[in-house]
């Protein structure tokens, strides 16, 4: 009985090996042609992430304490430290000199103690002004962080809306080329928005494989021709044709809205094709407005919100008054503590000025969140996330459309066809009974009994 079970197991393994070897080992060429963009874009994203100037960090104590740049003083600190050191030295020098040098009292007190210098500021008065200065700094930092957080929420809105646009296009559009057009334009919208907020042009890595070569050249380069030859909507038709004939190339100024136009053009082509087949024009237009039009409007709204933050800095008057008040307080601080701390006043002033100027500097850095500083938003990482998500949606759409028909392995089968294929190919013993269950309800038990 044991030898029979071993022979049965060996026969089953041999049959399984033969069935696996009989399967085709190469995928159809059509799938490789449809998915070549994913490999090239993955390489481009890796290069972009490697060259990203924004800081990728965690919030651990170790990383925050060993970050060397956070201990570096600002440039203004050196100026303030030079002034406060000079004031401290002057205070110590003149306070040890005879009072007659300052035109003050005629002589020292009878007990031999020095008079208090008339230029010094009472410490309690300086502490009272410190409370007011702290409120100004806290309000300034809070407003700067509100701008930074609002910008992050707007980019979160862009992430969600791009996913909705791509998903709706992949599911509801009928033509694969239009799906690719809309999804690629949505990916380019994120990269172009990032570049527009930084007042630059997108790089070749950010757009390669997503647009044509001619469009890539126009979108990644600035216009260098003469201003009067610049193609605009205000040129008449003859001037525009002459511009094209001279091969000056076309220039795209606001690239995010160009990508919005591409998305809407893809929807327009879909509408032109489906108006007759799926209802009246009003019904089809209203349906597409609900499905994808609101998400495109959300993208434009988020773009406008980001541009509002970029082009509206903090009020100059508030910033100027806060800095003037802070500078006066720091420069006069040695006069309030020199009588008590003497030479140690230099170190105390250095620490206090370092803290205040660093807090002011962090407010400046996060006030403009779209730059390339260490504390700005990681726009490259957000755009990479958008691209990966949307290309995954496109891959699924292509797999549904480009499923080949010549290979039985990759074909879709109905449950009945799949059951017949499994019954015909699974291994059997010498008596002809299939392993792992037979064609009837008792097949499995019969194979085990055999």
């Amino acid at each position: 009985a044991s030898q029979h079970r071993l022979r049965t197991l060996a026969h089953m393994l041999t049959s399984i090996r033969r069935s696996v070897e009989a399967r085709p080992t190469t995928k159809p060429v059509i799938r490789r042609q449809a998915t070549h963009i994913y490999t090239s874009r993955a390489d481009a994203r890796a290069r972009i992430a490697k060259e990203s100037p924004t800081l990728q960090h965690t919030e651990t104590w170790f990383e925050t304490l060993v970050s060397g740049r956070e201990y570096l003083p600002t440039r203004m600190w050196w100026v303030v430290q030079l002034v406060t050191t000079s004031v401290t030295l002057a205070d110590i020098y003149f306070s040890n000199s005879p009072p007659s040098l300052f035109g003050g009292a005629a002589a020292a007190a009878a007990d031999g103690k020095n008079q208090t210098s008339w230029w010094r500021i009472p410490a309690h008065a300086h502490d009272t002004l410190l409370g007011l200065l702290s409120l100004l700094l806290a309000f300034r930092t809070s407003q700067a962080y509100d701008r930074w957080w609002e910008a992050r929420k707007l980019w979160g809105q862009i992430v969600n809306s791009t996913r909705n646009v791509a998903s709706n296009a992949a599911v509801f559009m009928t033509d694969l080329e239009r799906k690719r057009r809309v999804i690629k334009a949505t990916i380019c919208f994120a990269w172009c928005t990032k570049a527009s907020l930084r007042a630059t042009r997108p790089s070749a890595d950010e757009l390669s494989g997503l647009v044509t070569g001619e469009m890539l050249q126009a979108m990644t380069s600035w216009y260098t021709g003469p201003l009067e030859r610049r193609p605009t909507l205000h040129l008449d038709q003859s001037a525009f044709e002459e511009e094209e004939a001279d091969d000056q190339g076309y220039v795209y100024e606001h690239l995010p809205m160009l990508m919005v136009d591409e998305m809407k053009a893809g929807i327009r082509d879909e509408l032109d094709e489906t108006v007759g087949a799926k209802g009246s024009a009003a019904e089809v237009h209203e349906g597409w407005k609900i499905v994808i039009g609101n998400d495109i409007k959300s993208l434009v709204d988020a773009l406008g919100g980001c541009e509002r933050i970029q082009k509206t800095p903090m009020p100059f008057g508030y910033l100027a008054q806060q800095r003037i008040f802070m500078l006066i307080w720091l420069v006069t601080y040695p006069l309030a503590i020199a009588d008590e701390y003497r030479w140690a006043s230099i170190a105390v002033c250095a620490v206090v000025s370092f803290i205040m100027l660093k807090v002011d500097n962090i407010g400046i850095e996060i006030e403009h969140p779209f730059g390339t500083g260490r504390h700005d938003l990681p726009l490259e990482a957000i755009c990479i996330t958008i691209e990966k998500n949307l290309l995954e949606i496109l891959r699924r759409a292509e797999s549904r459309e480009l499923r080949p028909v010549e290979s039985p392995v990759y074909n879709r089968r109905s449950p009945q066809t799949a059951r017949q294929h499994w019954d015909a190919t699974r291994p059997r013993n010498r008596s002809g009974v299939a392993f792992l269950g037979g064609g009837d309800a008792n097949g499995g038990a019969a194979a085990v009994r055999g």
Side-chain angles (χ1 to χ4, degrees):
S2 299
Q3 293 179 355
H4 179 70
R5 292 191 184 94
L6 291 175
R7 286 197 300 269
T8 301
L9 180 61
H11 181 73
M12 181 181 66
L13 294 176
T14 303
S15 301
I16 293 175
R17 179 178 57 82
R18 290 175 180 174
S19 63
V20 172
E21 292 177 352
R23 294 179 181 179
T25 58
T26 58
K27 293 183 179 180
V29 177
I30 188 172
R31 292 185 63 85
R32 292 200 300 270
Q33 290 178 347
T35 58
H36 75 280
I37 182 179
Y38 303 108
T39 302
S40 62
R41 289 306 304 165
D43 296 338
R45 289 195 302 269
R47 291 191 296 269
I48 294 171
K50 185 178 180 180
E51 299 172 357
S52 174
T54 54
L55 176 64
Q56 305 294 333
H57 63 87
T58 60
E59 296 182 355
T60 61
W61 271 90
F62 178 78
E63 184 173 355
T64 54
L65 292 178
V66 300
S67 179
R69 292 187 178 182
E70 300 303 325
Y71 295 97
L72 296 178
T74 61
R75 287 181 293 181
M76 191 62 189
W77 180 85
W78 299 100
V79 178
V80 172
Q81 185 60 20
L82 177 63
V83 176
T84 54
T85 302
S86 303
V87 172
T88 303
L89 295 177
D91 179 90
I92 295 174
Y93 174 77
F94 289 115
S95 63
N96 292 332
S97 300
S100 58
L101 293 178
F102 309 100
D111 56 359
K113 295 182 179 180
N114 292 332
Q115 281 187 320
T116 301
S117 301
W118 59 269
W119 59 83
R120 286 183 176 156
I121 301 175
H124 61 85
H126 226 260
D127 293 340
T128 303
L129 296 177
L130 177 61
L132 178 59
L133 179 59
S134 300
L135 289 177
L136 293 176
L137 281 175
F139 179 77
R140 151 87 174 169
T141 307
S142 175
Q143 292 299 310
Y145 181 77
D146 285 344
R147 292 167 56 90
W148 187 92
W149 182 239
E150 183 182 1
R152 183 60 187 90
K153 290 191 293 185
L154 289 172
W155 269 93
Q157 179 180 338
I158 291 176
V159 172
N160 296 335
S161 298
T162 52
R163 290 170 179 170
N164 288 333
V165 170
S167 179
N168 292 332
V171 172
F172 294 105
M173 283 189 168
T174 58
D175 183 70
L176 180 59
E177 287 301 322
R178 282 197 290 271
K179 294 179 182 180
R180 290 173 176 167
R181 178 183 182 182
V182 172
I183 293 177
K184 288 181 179 180
T186 309
I187 297 173
C188 292
F189 173 85
W191 290 114
C192 293
T193 300
K194 188 264 303 179
S196 177
L197 294 175
R198 292 180 177 175
T200 60
R201 306 290 281 186
S203 65
D205 281 338
E206 293 171 350
L207 300 180
S208 61
L210 300 174
V211 296
T212 62
E214 180 182 1
M215 201 167 185
L216 178 65
Q217 177 66 25
M219 294 174 67
T220 56
S221 59
W222 298 96
Y223 181 76
T224 58
L227 186 60
E228 64 273 9
R229 302 283 298 164
R230 190 174 193 167
T232 65
L233 297 177
H234 302 287
L235 294 178
D236 55 18
Q237 186 64 26
S238 60
F240 184 76
E241 292 174 353
E242 182 182 359
E243 184 71 29
E244 290 186 336
D246 292 343
D247 196 22
Q248 293 288 339
Y250 197 80
V251 59
Y252 301 105
E253 288 292 341
H254 201 278
L255 298 181
M257 288 307 300
L258 174 66
M259 294 298 103
V260 171
D261 292 344
E262 285 292 318
M263 291 183 244
K264 292 183 178 180
I267 298 174
R268 179 203 59 200
D269 295 342
E270 182 73 15
L271 290 174
D272 293 341
E273 183 174 324
T274 57
V275 163
K278 296 186 177 181
S280 64
E283 294 175 349
V284 175
H285 280 73
E286 185 64 24
W288 275 103
K289 179 181 179 181
I290 297 174
V291 170
I292 200 171
N294 293 333
D295 293 317
I296 296 180
K297 179 179 180 298
S298 179
L299 288 177
V300 178
D301 292 341
L303 172 63
C306 291
E307 291 178 343
R308 169 174 51 82
I309 294 175
Q310 178 203 24
K311 298 178 181 179
T312 310
M314 292 285 288
F316 176 78
Y318 176 82
L319 181 62
Q321 292 299 322
Q322 177 226 316
R323 288 182 173 176
I324 292 173
F325 181 45
M326 182 172 61
L327 185 61
I328 294 176
W329 190 92
L330 290 174
V331 169
T332 58
Y333 188 52
L335 303 179
I337 63 174
D339 188 30
E340 180 179 358
Y341 292 97
R342 306 298 292 173
W343 294 101
S345 302
I346 298 176
V348 174
C349 292
V351 174
V352 173
S353 61
F354 177 83
I355 295 174
M356 286 191 175
L357 292 175
K358 288 294 286 188
V359 171
D360 179 73
N361 187 66
I362 193 64
I364 296 173
E365 290 186 0
I366 65 176
E367 179 185 351
H368 303 282
F370 305 117
T372 58
R374 301 170 64 248
H375 304 291
D376 293 322
L377 291 177
L379 298 185
E380 285 82 4
I382 298 175
C383 291
I384 288 175
T385 300
I386 293 174
E387 180 177 320
K388 290 171 66 176
N389 296 155
L390 268 60
L391 287 181
E392 181 181 352
I393 295 173
L394 179 59
R395 182 191 289 268
R396 287 198 297 267
E398 288 182 341
S399 66
R400 290 192 294 266
E401 297 286 341
L402 299 178
R403 191 175 297 277
V405 297
E406 68 273 9
S407 172
V409 176
Y410 302 102
N411 270 340
R412 290 180 176 176
R413 298 190 182 93
S414 64
Q416 182 179 2
T417 306
R419 178 67 179 175
Q420 294 174 356
H421 176 76
W422 169 245
D423 289 337
T425 57
R426 61 183 168 171
R428 302 173 183 271
N429 60 16
R430 287 190 230 173
S431 302
V433 179
F435 296 110
L436 306 178
D440 54 3
N442 300 322
V448 174
R449 288 195 302 271

